[in-house]
Amino acid sequence: MVRSLVAAALLATAAPLSAQVHVSPLVDPKVAELRDKAMDGDNYAWDIVEGLTTEVGQRLAGTEAEARARDWAVRKLTAMGFSNVRVEPFDMPVWSRGHESAEILAPFPQHMVVAALGNSGSTGPEGVTGEIVGFDSVDALSAAPDDLVRGKIVFVDHRMPANQDGSGYGEFGAPRRQGPTVASKKGALAIVIRSIGTDHHRNPHTGVMVFSDGAKPIPAGALSIPDAEQLVRILKRGQPVTMRLVLQSRVTNGQSGNVIAEVPGRDPSLPPILVGGHLDSWDLGTGAIDDGTGVAIAAAAAKRIMDAGRPLRTIRVVWFGAEEVGLFGGNHYREKYGKQPHYALIESDFGADKIWKVDSKLGDARKSEAEAIGKALAPLGIVTGKFDEADGSDIGPMLADGLPGVGLSQDGTRYFDLHHTPDDTLDKIDPAQLRQNVAAWTAVLAILSSGIEEPKAKKRR
């Protein structure tokens, strides 16, 4: 009886209580409307990434395929209604792969799956044959006596974990980034590493590395993770292990370029907002996740602002060239425009799974603007992170120079299953999560653009 009376009392007070609840207008209704429309029905991003990966495919920097991608991009962005669409070219050295194979000759003969790392030295068609010497880290390789390494094929293992923020890539990327230089300086014949990835598919992960400190280029490849684990088991048998490695490659002179398009602002004297991703990809997959989705998200969000009206500030869409092989496009943009004021820099280059966090580096004077961005993104399940940092591969050097920026962090839990592999293909994109990315970017651009003026025909009377 008491419980019934309590329930009745609660029911009696429920309606008046809800009627007294007032929602604080924390988010500009226009921003919220643009965000929600993108979340519910954006098709621009999917159309871009589907077209790019289908009609161009893989886009290795400096190659004819990347040139076709630039031509495709100019046509696409022009057809979407962007202004000042152009290519800003630059010259660069072009590394390309040829035939590659790895074979254990003794004690247990078997084939392995390998891919050359970007800038690998070439074995030539005859390949190289040598005894394997294994290490569980670059630190262990560095500490090893040169005599242990000289004339042998180095193998470096590691255990890269999957995590949401992708932070493992920094620490566990050392075998690819530093390993070849260390092995070369110790006199190694070649080096193979466990792929820098978190999957267990028999797909190797490529990626760029640079021989530094005067190191002579040597053949450098990545074994698929199952093959690397197989090699560890073979080495643990305690018998000498011999491998024949073929990694053919060549370096030529070529050209890349940045594709740039704009949504002109009402006041062209104001610093622009840069939104971008990189157009090039590695040559194993079709570059859907890395970074077809990035250029698609950037352009789709800018297009949605354009559809809504005219922003106060110009939005500059940049599809950077030759990011994968050394940030050539970002550096070229920095040399040409980096000393000019920018209102904000934003780059999408971590796939298209759900954005979970927003960081910003807008300065103390713009703290309220950064907070407004956080409030606008909260309904999308995005938490506000730091107010003193932002990131992005191509824009990173300019952020370090002091330019302001915003960083939208995608969930990276499965990113390194696909990154730089043959599995980086269109079917790996989740359309719903892609729309969430576009919704977040649209909201950020709507706030940064300092007000969108609707076309006269659309203005409410």
Side-chain angles (χ1 to χ4, degrees), residues 61-310:
T63 64
E64 184 272 338
E66 194 199 23
R68 284 191 287 109
R70 290 193 295 277
D71 292 342
W72 184 94
V74 168
R75 293 193 301 271
K76 186 65 175 179
L77 292 168
T78 300
M80 291 177 72
F82 287 97
S83 300
N84 305 323
V85 182
R86 62 197 186 272
V87 175
E88 297 188 347
F90 50 85
D91 296 330
M92 59 171 289
V94 180
W95 177 91
S96 56
R97 78 179 69 246
H99 177 69
E100 47 197 19
S101 66
E103 181 180 7
I104 300 296
L105 301 179
F108 311 120
Q110 55 193 279
H111 292 281
M112 294 194 157
V113 180
V114 68
L117 297 174
N119 293 327
S120 167
S122 181
T123 64
E126 68 282 356
V128 296
T129 300
E131 182 181 344
I132 293 282
V133 55
F135 301 94
D136 64 3
S137 68
V138 172
D139 289 341
L141 169 61
S142 298
D146 291 0
D147 288 347
L148 180 63
V149 174
R150 188 174 297 114
K152 296 179 181 177
I153 298 176
V154 166
F155 166 64
V156 181
D157 193 31
H158 67 91
R159 290 292 187 274
M160 179 178 169
N163 43 43
Q164 187 180 42
D165 64 1
S167 56
Y169 188 53
E171 178 180 352
F172 293 92
R176 191 190 84 204
R177 299 187 188 102
Q178 290 88 45
T181 291
V182 176
S184 173
K185 296 190 78 171
K186 287 180 175 292
L189 183 63
I191 180 173
V192 291
I193 66 168
R194 175 182 169 127
S195 282
I196 311 302
T198 52
D199 64 307
H200 273 83
H201 294 175
R202 210 171 181 202
N203 286 328
H205 297 236
T206 190
V208 75
M209 55 86 192
V210 176
F211 290 100
S212 58
D213 300 327
K216 173 186 175 182
I218 60 174
L223 295 171
S224 77
I225 291 173
D227 285 289
E229 292 179 346
Q230 176 80 330
L231 181 53
V232 169
R233 290 189 290 269
I234 293 172
L235 288 166
K236 284 183 176 178
R237 296 303 199 262
Q239 302 177 54
V241 179
T242 303
M243 172 180 280
R244 180 172 182 265
L245 181 68
V246 179
L247 296 175
Q248 292 182 254
S249 61
R250 63 175 185 153
V251 178
T252 57
N253 295 319
Q255 189 177 80
S256 183
N258 295 329
V259 180
I260 300 178
E262 292 176 341
V263 180
R266 301 194 304 276
D267 187 346
S269 70
L270 295 176
I273 305 159
L274 184 157
V275 294
H278 67 84
L279 184 59
D280 65 307
S281 76
W282 282 104
D283 53 331
L284 301 183
T286 58
I289 292 291
D290 186 17
D291 186 32
T293 52
V295 297
I297 291 162
K303 170 63 172 169
R304 300 194 74 83
I305 299 297
M306 186 198 316
D307 289 348
R310 194 173 183 187

Side-chain angles (χ1 to χ4, degrees), residues 209-446:
M209 55 86 192
V210 176
F211 290 100
S212 58
D213 300 327
K216 173 186 175 182
I218 60 174
L223 295 171
S224 77
I225 291 173
D227 285 289
E229 292 179 346
Q230 176 80 330
L231 181 53
V232 169
R233 290 189 290 269
I234 293 172
L235 288 166
K236 284 183 176 178
R237 296 303 199 262
Q239 302 177 54
V241 179
T242 303
M243 172 180 280
R244 180 172 182 265
L245 181 68
V246 179
L247 296 175
Q248 292 182 254
S249 61
R250 63 175 185 153
V251 178
T252 57
N253 295 319
Q255 189 177 80
S256 183
N258 295 329
V259 180
I260 300 178
E262 292 176 341
V263 180
R266 301 194 304 276
D267 187 346
S269 70
L270 295 176
I273 305 159
L274 184 157
V275 294
H278 67 84
L279 184 59
D280 65 307
S281 76
W282 282 104
D283 53 331
L284 301 183
T286 58
I289 292 291
D290 186 17
D291 186 32
T293 52
V295 297
I297 291 162
K303 170 63 172 169
R304 300 194 74 83
I305 299 297
M306 186 198 316
D307 289 348
R310 194 173 183 187
L312 179 64
R313 299 177 182 277
T314 294
I315 299 172
R316 181 177 294 166
V317 178
V318 183
W319 290 3
F320 294 100
E323 183 272 349
E324 293 288 6
V325 295
L327 306 182
F328 286 93
N331 289 331
H332 185 263
Y333 183 93
R334 181 187 180 210
E335 290 171 6
K336 189 166 184 176
Y337 301 107
K339 295 188 183 302
Q340 299 176 10
H342 286 67
Y343 195 66
L345 310 177
I346 325 174
E347 182 174 7
S348 181
D349 185 15
F350 199 49
D353 280 355
K354 187 177 179 181
I355 295 171
W356 65 278
K357 183 182 69 163
V358 58
D359 295 312
S360 57
K361 181 190 171 189
L362 299 178
D364 292 341
R366 295 170 61 187
K367 181 74 175 294
S368 61
E369 191 175 8
E371 291 173 339
I373 288 172
K375 291 181 176 73
L377 297 184
L380 298 175
I382 300 170
V383 300
T384 298
K386 298 181 179 180
F387 292 107
D388 59 355
E389 69 176 41
D391 60 12
S393 55
D394 290 289
I395 65 175
M398 290 182 286
L399 291 171
D401 290 340
L403 291 179
V406 176
L408 294 167
S409 299
Q410 289 99 343
D411 187 330
T413 305
R414 70 179 186 124
Y415 181 74
F416 292 104
D417 290 355
L418 309 169
H419 177 252
H420 297 178
T421 75
D423 263 350
D424 185 359
T425 49
L426 184 70
D427 56 294
K428 308 308 186 302
I429 300 171
D430 180 334
Q433 295 190 73
L434 179 64
R435 287 193 297 273
Q436 189 257 11
N437 275 252
V438 176
W441 274 61
T442 301
V444 172
L445 288 183

